[in-house]
């Protein structure tokens, strides 16, 4: 199993202290967490894309380019690239550039995105967002693979023998499809033989398991090799401690503050108590052994071989956050790596584009 640390760069007051960092300090915190993730042996670091409050993640290519300059081994992910909002030509140019700057460490997780404010900002409607996402992905993937592209597009000016530069480093780029509650992303992933990344955050595992089962059905329908199928899944939170009592005691004020925020914002409340949240959500709160057992329970339903954890420690002190990630990596991750297989592809640049020299071999993390 492989592990990603992911941030949406939420910018709101700390749920326990109430302190709101400056925008500059919040970005510096993201960079520090990326360095920490590489130091502790995480396999990937991801940055989301949102274009509305309270997020600062409107420009993942810029943030990931900075992370690429500071790191040398960890793979770089988007989580997710909202192709329904973007011009696929411009998105291609940004990510092909980042692909070179990172030495082929880039992977994308794409999706339509959510939130009415960002739809309004980009003049995208709920009725056309799925079609925009599918069209943008078709153009994006062809630009990545072909030197010249002709496409009769609906949502941007048509392309005729269009060339986009630079040509990418990796050929092709691995693209995951982010899936939360709808079948459209699942259908798109299965059609192209791409891996699926289940959100697995807001609800208990059952609706996500249903979508993953549907993905497996569609994958077979399109005639893809069952051995090539790959699924990733998210988590709703992490706090690893020596005992479950310590973990719950430390995490309780964070949960209660987030619960109050959900109610004030009019958001649906799925888990009314911390105990229910720790038991039925995908959050990993407890001892390393409890965390291992819970990941296995979700793996039985999802069959995932990649897991994302929160890169941020909102509500935790810097020491608590670091200690939690370190304990996870030192005691839970090695067991999960042994007991749950890796995805069915190399965790490395897919292949250099013709004419590009291979990247220098990445150092293996200490746990390998």
């Amino acid at each position: 199993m492989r592990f990603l640390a992911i941030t949406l760069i939420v910018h709101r007051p700390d749920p326990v202290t109430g302190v709101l960092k400056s925008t500059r300090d919040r970005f510096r915190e993201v960079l520090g967490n990326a360095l920490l993730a590489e130091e502790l042996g995480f396999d990937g670091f991801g940055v989301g894309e949102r274009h509305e409050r309270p997020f600062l993640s409107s420009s993942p290519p810029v943030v990931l380019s900075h992370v690429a300059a500071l790191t040398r081994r960890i793979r770089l992910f988007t989580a997710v690239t909202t192709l329904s909002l973007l011009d696929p030509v411009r998105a291609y140019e940004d990510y092909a550039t980042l692909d070179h700057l990172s030495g082929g460490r880039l992977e994308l997780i794409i999706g339509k995105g959510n939130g009415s404010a960002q739809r309004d900002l980009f003049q995208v409607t709920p009725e056309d967002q799925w079609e925009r996402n599918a069209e943008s992905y078709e153009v994006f993937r062809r630009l990545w693979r072909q030197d010249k592209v002709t496409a009769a597009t609906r949502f941007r000016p048509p392309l005729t023998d269009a060339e986009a530069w630079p040509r990418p480093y990796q050929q092709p780029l691995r693209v995951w499809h982010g899936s939360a509650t709808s079948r459209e992303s699942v259908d798109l992933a299965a059609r192209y033989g791409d891996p699926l990344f289940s959100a697995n955050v807001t609800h208990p595992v059952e609706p996500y398991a249903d979508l993953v089962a549907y993905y497996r059905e569609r994958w077979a329908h399109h005639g893809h090799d069952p051995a090539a199928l790959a699924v990733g899944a998210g988590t709703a939170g992490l706090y690893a401690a020596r005992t479950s009592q310590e973990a719950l005691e430390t995490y309780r004020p964070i949960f209660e503050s987030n619960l109050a925020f959900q109610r004030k914002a009019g958001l649906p409340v799925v888990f009314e108590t911390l105990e229910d949240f720790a038991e039925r959500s995908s959050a990993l709160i407890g001892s390393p052994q409890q965390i291992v057992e819970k990941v296995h329970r979700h793996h039985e339903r999802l069959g995932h071989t990649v897991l994302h954890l929160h890169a941020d420690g909102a509500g935790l002190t810097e020491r608590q956050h670091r200690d939690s990630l370190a304990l996870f990596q030192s005691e839970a991750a090695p067991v999960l790596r042994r007991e749950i297989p890796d995805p069915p592809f190399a965790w490395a640049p897919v292949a250099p584009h013709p004419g590009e020299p291979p990247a220098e071999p990445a150092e293996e993390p200490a746990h390998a």
Side-chain angles (χ1 to χ4, degrees), residues 116-238:
S116 59
Q118 62 183 13
R119 282 201 304 266
D120 293 343
L121 185 64
F122 288 88
Q123 297 184 331
V124 172
T125 69
E127 292 74 28
D128 69 19
Q129 60 186 351
W130 288 111
E131 293 180 13
R132 286 177 178 270
N133 184 63
E135 177 182 286
S136 290
Y137 180 51
E138 168 64 22
V139 172
F140 181 94
R141 76 190 309 273
R142 289 181 61 194
L143 287 168
W144 202 278
R145 289 164 170 78
Q146 302 171 19
D147 292 335
K148 294 184 178 182
V149 171
T150 296
T153 50
R154 290 179 55 205
F155 299 106
R156 59 144 290 127
L159 300 173
T160 302
D161 287 336
E163 297 181 277
W165 296 91
R167 299 311 300 149
Y169 180 82
Q170 294 182 91
Q171 186 61 280
L173 175 74
R174 184 173 298 116
V175 176
W176 302 69
H177 294 249
S179 165
T181 59
S182 301
R183 289 190 168 193
E184 284 84 352
S185 291
V186 172
D187 281 320
L188 196 63
R191 183 195 319 167
Y192 287 111
D194 293 331
L196 185 75
F197 215 107
S198 173
N200 193 37
V201 168
T202 307
H203 303 282
V205 71
E206 287 77 15
Y208 305 110
D210 289 344
L211 281 176
V212 170
Y214 176 68
Y215 170 64
R216 295 178 185 278
E217 292 173 8
R218 299 306 296 167
W219 181 276
H221 170 81
H222 289 288
H224 302 304
D225 181 359
L229 183 148
V231 174
T235 57
L238 169 71

Side-chain angles (χ1 to χ4, degrees), residues 47-357:
V47 174
E49 181 178 341
R50 296 288 184 90
H51 299 270
E52 59 186 335
R53 291 176 181 267
F55 304 97
L56 300 178
S57 49
S58 58
S59 187
V62 176
V63 177
L64 288 174
S65 290
H66 200 145
V67 172
L70 296 175
T71 59
R72 61 184 309 270
R73 178 195 60 80
I74 199 166
R75 291 193 67 74
L76 308 175
F77 284 75
T78 61
V80 301
T81 295
T82 52
L83 279 180
S84 66
L85 308 180
L86 306 179
D87 183 315
V89 177
R90 191 71 185 98
Y92 164 82
E93 292 172 336
D94 284 342
Y95 286 114
T97 300
L98 175 54
D99 192 36
H100 282 278
L101 293 175
S102 67
R105 287 188 281 148
L106 177 66
E107 299 194 26
L108 299 189
I109 306 174
I110 68 165
K112 71 167 180 61
N114 55 26
S116 59
Q118 62 183 13
R119 282 201 304 266
D120 293 343
L121 185 64
F122 288 88
Q123 297 184 331
V124 172
T125 69
E127 292 74 28
D128 69 19
Q129 60 186 351
W130 288 111
E131 293 180 13
R132 286 177 178 270
N133 184 63
E135 177 182 286
S136 290
Y137 180 51
E138 168 64 22
V139 172
F140 181 94
R141 76 190 309 273
R142 289 181 61 194
L143 287 168
W144 202 278
R145 289 164 170 78
Q146 302 171 19
D147 292 335
K148 294 184 178 182
V149 171
T150 296
T153 50
R154 290 179 55 205
F155 299 106
R156 59 144 290 127
L159 300 173
T160 302
D161 287 336
E163 297 181 277
W165 296 91
R167 299 311 300 149
Y169 180 82
Q170 294 182 91
Q171 186 61 280
L173 175 74
R174 184 173 298 116
V175 176
W176 302 69
H177 294 249
S179 165
T181 59
S182 301
R183 289 190 168 193
E184 284 84 352
S185 291
V186 172
D187 281 320
L188 196 63
R191 183 195 319 167
Y192 287 111
D194 293 331
L196 185 75
F197 215 107
S198 173
N200 193 37
V201 168
T202 307
H203 303 282
V205 71
E206 287 77 15
Y208 305 110
D210 289 344
L211 281 176
V212 170
Y214 176 68
Y215 170 64
R216 295 178 185 278
E217 292 173 8
R218 299 306 296 167
W219 181 276
H221 170 81
H222 289 288
H224 302 304
D225 181 359
L229 183 148
V231 174
T235 57
L238 169 71
Y239 187 66
R242 288 295 173 188
T243 67
S244 60
Q245 293 83 359
E246 178 187 350
L248 290 171
E249 180 181 358
T250 300
Y251 204 86
R252 189 173 302 279
I254 300 172
F255 173 81
E256 291 177 349
S257 177
N258 289 335
L259 182 63
F261 176 82
Q262 290 174 326
R263 286 174 170 157
K264 183 177 180 180
L267 300 173
V269 174
V270 179
F271 305 102
E272 296 278 355
T273 67
L274 174 59
E275 287 71 20
D276 189 35
F277 180 68
E279 175 63 27
R280 293 196 304 123
S281 82
S282 60
L284 303 177
I285 302 168
S287 67
Q289 181 59 37
Q290 288 174 311
I291 288 172
V292 166
E293 292 171 357
K294 189 167 190 181
V295 173
H296 269 291
R297 290 201 302 273
H298 279 240
H299 177 72
E300 289 173 2
R301 301 297 307 277
L302 302 172
H304 57 309
T305 54
V306 178
L307 182 72
H308 94 49
L309 306 168
H310 289 207
D312 302 311
L316 300 172
T317 66
E318 185 176 341
R319 172 56 67 85
Q320 287 171 333
H321 178 50
R322 182 185 182 92
D323 287 351
S324 171
L325 291 177
L327 184 60
F328 173 86
Q329 282 286 35
S330 64
E331 297 195 16
V335 178
L336 293 169
R337 290 183 192 279
R338 289 195 305 269
E339 296 178 350
I340 296 177
D342 279 350
F345 41 71
W347 201 260
V350 179
H353 189 279
E356 289 291 339

